[in-house]
Amino acid sequence: MLKRIRTEALNLMNEKGINFTIADLAKQLGVSKRSIYDHFSSKVNLIEAVLNEILSDLQVQIQEIVNSQQLNTIDKLSALLTASPKALGPLSSRVIVDIKRKLPEQWNKFEYFFDARWQEIEKIIELGIQQKQFRTFDMRIVQQIYRGSINELYEYQFLTQSNQTFQNAIAAMTDILIFGFIATDNRQPSN
């Protein structure tokens, strides 16, 4: 029941932002509001549980990617850059904006996660440089490009106007970050 409540809460959050009501959720689940309040003391408590599950899922994924023996360095980097919540599903750009604005303490947890993920990304990039798979560059600039891209891709208008899902946009951005603009055939240095 708890998983079902959190999953439906996320669906409502993605649809209505964090302004959904417990009555909306109860109707969606076909249960009484009391049934939900038996598990969560408030709507904020429920939202926090949803967000904590998403973060926990992401942290597990990151560790699995980093520790994977099956993935090479490039695949690990790509997987780290594109990791998204699987347990309950992704957050819409609308929810992210709501969380940043209305639940800053929860958003701080996401910021902490992004910082920890960046440290893992940096380690993989440094390994790729040692293996001569990547060239050396200013890591601060790459981090700024990545974070700026993520923030811009969260924009609801961009996603709807370009008919993209956030996950597809992230995958395209990651491909450009890793492989650049040069076609595969043209990647030999010119003399």
Side-chain angles (χ1 to χ4, degrees):
M1 178 68 165
L2 285 174
K3 175 96 170 170
R4 194 167 151 237
I5 291 171
R6 289 190 300 262
T7 301
E8 283 305 317
L10 178 62
N11 291 339
L12 277 172
M13 288 165 60
N14 281 334
E15 181 183 322
K16 298 181 175 193
I18 64 172
N19 295 324
F20 74 93
T21 66
I22 294 297
D24 293 334
L25 180 58
K27 183 179 177 184
Q28 192 88 359
L29 291 167
V31 300
S32 69
K33 291 190 314 184
R34 182 81 236 143
S35 296
I36 297 168
Y37 284 121
D38 284 344
H39 299 287
F40 302 98
S41 61
S42 67
K43 183 174 90 169
V44 170
N45 180 254
L46 170 60
I47 292 169
E48 288 173 348
V50 168
L51 298 176
N52 288 339
E53 185 168 343
I54 288 170
L55 279 173
S56 178
D57 173 42
L58 285 167
Q59 288 165 338
V60 167
Q61 286 184 57
I62 298 305
Q63 286 312 304
E64 287 174 354
I65 293 165
V66 168
N67 296 326
S68 174
Q69 300 297 314
Q70 287 76 39
L71 298 175
N72 65 34
T73 306
I74 294 171
D75 292 337
K76 282 184 182 185
L77 179 59
S78 180
L80 285 171
L81 292 172
T82 59
S84 70
K86 292 180 181 159
L88 297 177
L91 293 170
S92 71
S93 57
R94 180 180 187 171
V95 174
I96 291 165
V97 169
D98 279 356
I99 295 166
K100 282 181 178 180
R101 193 176 38 188
K102 298 175 184 174
L103 298 171
E105 291 172 13
Q106 282 299 104
W107 185 251
N108 287 340
K109 291 180 183 179
F110 277 85
E111 289 289 338
Y112 177 79
F113 165 76
F114 296 142
D115 290 342
R117 175 166 66 173
W118 183 257
Q119 289 174 1
E120 296 298 340
I121 289 169
E122 217 170 88
K123 288 177 192 173
I124 295 298
I125 291 171
E126 288 169 0
L127 177 62
I129 291 169
Q130 290 172 5
Q131 296 170 337
K132 302 209 184 304
Q133 291 181 317
F134 305 138
R135 61 187 177 92
T136 53
F137 46 82
D138 188 331
M139 199 72 75
R140 295 169 301 179
I141 292 173
V142 173
Q143 181 181 23
Q144 196 67 18
I145 291 169
Y146 176 69
R147 283 185 176 240
S149 298
I150 294 288
N151 288 334
E152 287 299 312
L153 292 176
Y154 274 135
E155 291 299 320
Y156 178 76
Q157 284 183 332
F158 166 76
L159 294 173
T160 55
Q161 288 172 353
S162 62
N163 198 25
Q164 292 279 336
T165 65
F166 178 70
Q167 194 57 34
N168 289 344
I170 292 295
M173 183 255 329
T174 297
D175 183 69
I176 294 167
L177 271 177
I178 294 174
F179 299 108
F181 292 99
I182 301 170
T184 307
D185 299 3
N186 298 322
R187 290 196 181 165
Q188 286 84 34
S190 60
N191 293 337

